[in-house]
Amino acid sequence: MILHDFLPSGNGYKIRLLCAFLGLKVTLKEYDITKGETHTDAFLAMNPSGKIPVLELDNGQCLSESNAVLLYLAEAHQSPLLPTDLIQKAKVHQWLFWEQYSHEPNIASPRFWLTHNAMNDLKKQMLPDRIQQGNAALKQMNDALCSQNFLTGNTLTLADICLFPYTHEAEEGGAYDLSDYPHIQRWIRTIEALNGYISISQKKF
Amino acid sequence: MILHDFLPSGNGYKIRLLCAFLGLKVTLKEYDITKGETHTDAFLAMNPSGKIPVLELDNGQCLSESNAVLLYLAEAHQSPLLPTDLIQKAKVHQWLFWEQYSHEPNIASPRFWLTHNAMNDLKKQMLPDRIQQGNAALKQMNDALCSQNFLTGNTLTLADICLFPYTHEAEEGGAYDLSDYPHIQRWIRTIEALNGYISISQKKF
C-alpha cells in the first residue's frame, strides 16, 4: 500500500498511527500541500478533493477521507479497534464524525493558519469564535475522559486514534492550553506509552 | 424509537428519509434550535454537543451525529444501502465524512444564516469563501453523477441519503443556483420519485 501524505498533517498521522498499531507496512509518498502539489491532474484523479491523505491499495484503488480510511483498515484487518457490537461501533462513528465537524475546523485549522504563515484579516476575525468552539470541543473530550481511560470506554478504539493527532498538537501556534484539560493530558500520555506508538514525524514504522 | 429533531434540519431529515425508505416507525419529538431548546440539562445528557438529531433507542440509549445514526440503522437492519463489500462501503463512508467537512459547512450553514435571520458582519465577510467552496463541492457531486445514477454507482446508498437533504435545498437563501449542475438536478428528481420518499416537512411516514 502507498500512503500519499504530508508529514505534518494530523489527518495523515491518524492513518500512520493506525498502521503502526496494526503492524501494517505502507510506503509513504510525500506531497507539500503548501505548494499545490495535491492539485495536479494525477493527484485529482486519485482524490477529486485534492487533499491528502490518500491510501492507494495494492490493486491500485484509492481511498480518501482519513476517517473512511481508518474504518476500512480496521474492518479489513478485523481489528477490535472498531467494535463489532453495533451500539459500541456507533459510539466510535459518533466521535469520527464529530472530529471532522466540531474538532478539526476549530483546532487543526487555526493551528495551520498560525504555524504555516496562512493568517489573513478575515481569519484573524474568525479566530475568536473558532477558539471558543475549539475549547468547547476540548471540554467535551475532557468530560468524556474523566471517568474512563479512552473516549468510548476503557479500551483504545479508532475514536482515540482519530482524535489524538490534532488534540496532542493543539497547543502549537498558541491558540490552546491543554493544562486546562487534565484528563486529556493523561489520555495523551497513555496513548504515547502504548506498544507500537509512533510520533507524527516518524517515517519508519 | 424517538427521534429528537428540528423539522427544517437537513441532518434530521437524513434520518427521517432513511427511516421512510426502510419502513421504520419513529416518534418525532421536536425542538426549536433557534430558542436554545437543545441546551437544557436534559438534552445535554442525551447529547453533550447540544445538537439535534438524537435517536433514542427503545432501550433508552441515545445516538447522535446524523451520519453515525444512518450507519447504525442501516447495519442494524442489514440494509443494502450500506454495502458489505469493504471497498464499496469505504466509498460510502468517504461521502459521509466529506459531507460533514466539505459540504455541510459551505452549503447548509449559509442557508441557515440567510433564512433564519442569523447573518452578522463576520458571516457576511465569510460568505464569499463559503460559496466558492460550496460550488466546488457541488461540482464534485455533479462530476460524480455525470456517468452514474447515484453517488457511488447505479444503486442508492447512504451516500445519497446523506447528501440529498442539504443539496436539494441548496438554493434556499439564494447562495446557490442548481441549474449550473444538471446531473445533480436529475439525481434529485430520481430520489424524489423513489418509493417511500418523504419531503423534509413530512411528519408522518
Side-chain angles (χ1 to χ4, degrees):
Chain A
M1 296 190 297
I2 300 169
L3 184 63
H4 301 269
D5 205 353
F6 173 60
L7 215 59
S9 163
N11 283 324
Y13 178 37
K14 293 172 193 173
I15 301 173
R16 284 174 258 138
L17 195 52
L18 176 61
C19 287
F21 283 137
L22 293 181
L24 303 177
K25 295 291 167 218
V26 289
T27 303
L28 215 59
K29 186 166 176 189
E30 293 180 70
Y31 298 77
D32 188 339
I33 63 170
T34 67
K35 293 180 180 159
E37 291 178 4
T38 56
H39 292 276
T40 62
D41 288 347
F43 195 94
L44 292 170
M46 294 194 298
N47 180 11
S49 297
K51 290 179 182 168
I52 57 87
V54 171
L55 184 69
E56 185 178 343
L57 304 178
D58 290 340
N59 65 6
Q61 278 194 293
C62 290
L63 302 179
S64 57
E65 295 294 326
S66 56
N67 293 348
V69 175
L70 293 185
L71 289 170
Y72 170 79
L73 287 173
E75 282 205 287
H77 294 276
Q78 298 178 305
S79 165
L81 291 169
L82 183 65
T84 50
D85 173 83
L86 292 186
I87 297 284
Q88 288 307 309
K89 194 178 192 174
K91 298 285 176 190
V92 172
H93 287 156
Q94 272 179 210
W95 282 110
L96 267 56
F97 289 108
W98 180 86
E99 187 261 351
Q100 285 292 286
Y101 196 84
S102 300
H103 186 283
E104 210 267 12
N106 299 315
I107 295 175
S109 296
R111 166 189 167 237
F112 187 83
W113 303 341
L114 291 161
T115 59
H116 280 78
N117 202 20
M119 194 57 85
N120 60 27
D121 280 349
L122 179 56
K123 284 172 182 160
K124 260 183 213 153
Q125 289 180 67
M126 287 159 63
L127 202 55
D129 183 54
R130 294 278 182 121
I131 291 176
Q132 187 186 22
Q133 291 186 58
N135 276 308
L138 291 171
K139 181 181 180 308
Q140 210 172 315
M141 287 179 67
N142 197 64
D143 288 349
L145 291 164
C146 86
S147 60
Q148 55 195 26
N149 290 336
F150 297 102
L151 287 168
T152 63
N154 282 315
T155 55
L156 183 80
T157 70
L158 291 186
D160 305 288
I161 291 174
C162 167
L163 264 314
F164 180 80
Y166 289 120
T167 306
H168 97 300
E169 295 208 318
E171 290 181 335
E172 261 193 33
Y176 296 99
D177 180 358
L178 289 181
S179 68
D180 296 336
Y181 307 104
H183 302 299
I184 290 180
Q185 289 185 310
R186 174 189 41 76
W187 171 79
I188 288 172
R189 290 192 300 270
T190 303
I191 291 174
E192 286 173 342
L194 292 172
N195 269 340
Y197 173 83
I198 56 165
S199 75
I200 191 166
S201 57
Q202 214 167 318
K203 291 187 188 190
K204 295 279 177 203
F205 52 88
Chain B
M1 297 189 296
I2 299 168
L3 184 62
H4 300 268
D5 204 353
F6 173 60
L7 215 59
S9 163
N11 283 323
Y13 180 36
K14 293 173 193 174
I15 300 173
R16 284 175 256 139
L17 194 52
L18 176 61
C19 287
F21 283 136
L22 293 181
L24 303 177
K25 295 291 166 221
V26 288
T27 303
L28 214 58
K29 186 166 177 189
E30 294 180 69
Y31 298 78
D32 188 339
I33 63 170
T34 67
K35 292 180 180 158
E37 292 179 3
T38 57
H39 292 275
T40 62
D41 288 347
F43 195 94
L44 292 170
M46 294 195 298
N47 180 10
S49 297
K51 289 179 184 168
I52 57 86
V54 170
L55 184 68
E56 185 178 342
L57 304 179
D58 290 340
N59 64 6
Q61 278 194 292
C62 290
L63 301 179
S64 58
E65 295 294 326
S66 55
N67 293 348
V69 176
L70 294 185
L71 290 171
Y72 170 80
L73 287 173
E75 282 204 287
H77 295 277
Q78 297 178 307
S79 165
L81 292 168
L82 183 64
T84 50
D85 172 83
L86 292 186
I87 298 284
Q88 288 308 308
K89 194 178 193 175
K91 298 285 176 189
V92 172
H93 286 155
Q94 272 178 212
W95 283 110
L96 267 55
F97 287 109
W98 179 87
E99 187 261 351
Q100 285 292 285
Y101 195 84
S102 300
H103 187 283
E104 210 267 12
N106 299 315
I107 295 177
S109 297
R111 166 189 167 237
F112 187 83
W113 302 341
L114 290 160
T115 59
H116 281 78
N117 202 19
M119 193 58 83
N120 61 26
D121 280 349
L122 178 57
K123 284 173 182 158
K124 260 184 212 153
Q125 288 180 69
M126 287 159 62
L127 201 56
D129 183 54
R130 293 280 183 120
I131 291 176
Q132 186 186 24
Q133 290 184 61
N135 276 307
L138 291 171
K139 182 182 180 307
Q140 209 173 315
M141 287 179 68
N142 197 63
D143 288 349
L145 291 164
C146 85
S147 60
Q148 55 195 25
N149 290 336
F150 297 103
L151 287 168
T152 63
N154 282 315
T155 55
L156 183 81
T157 69
L158 291 186
D160 305 288
I161 292 173
C162 166
L163 265 313
F164 180 80
Y166 289 120
T167 305
H168 96 300
E169 294 207 317
E171 290 181 334
E172 261 193 31
Y176 296 100
D177 180 358
L178 289 181
S179 68
D180 296 336
Y181 306 102
H183 303 298
I184 289 179
Q185 289 185 309
R186 175 188 42 76
W187 170 81
I188 288 172
R189 289 192 300 270
T190 303
I191 292 174
E192 285 172 343
L194 291 172
N195 269 339
Y197 173 82
I198 56 165
S199 74
I200 190 166
S201 57
Q202 214 167 318
K203 290 188 189 189
K204 294 280 177 203
F205 51 89

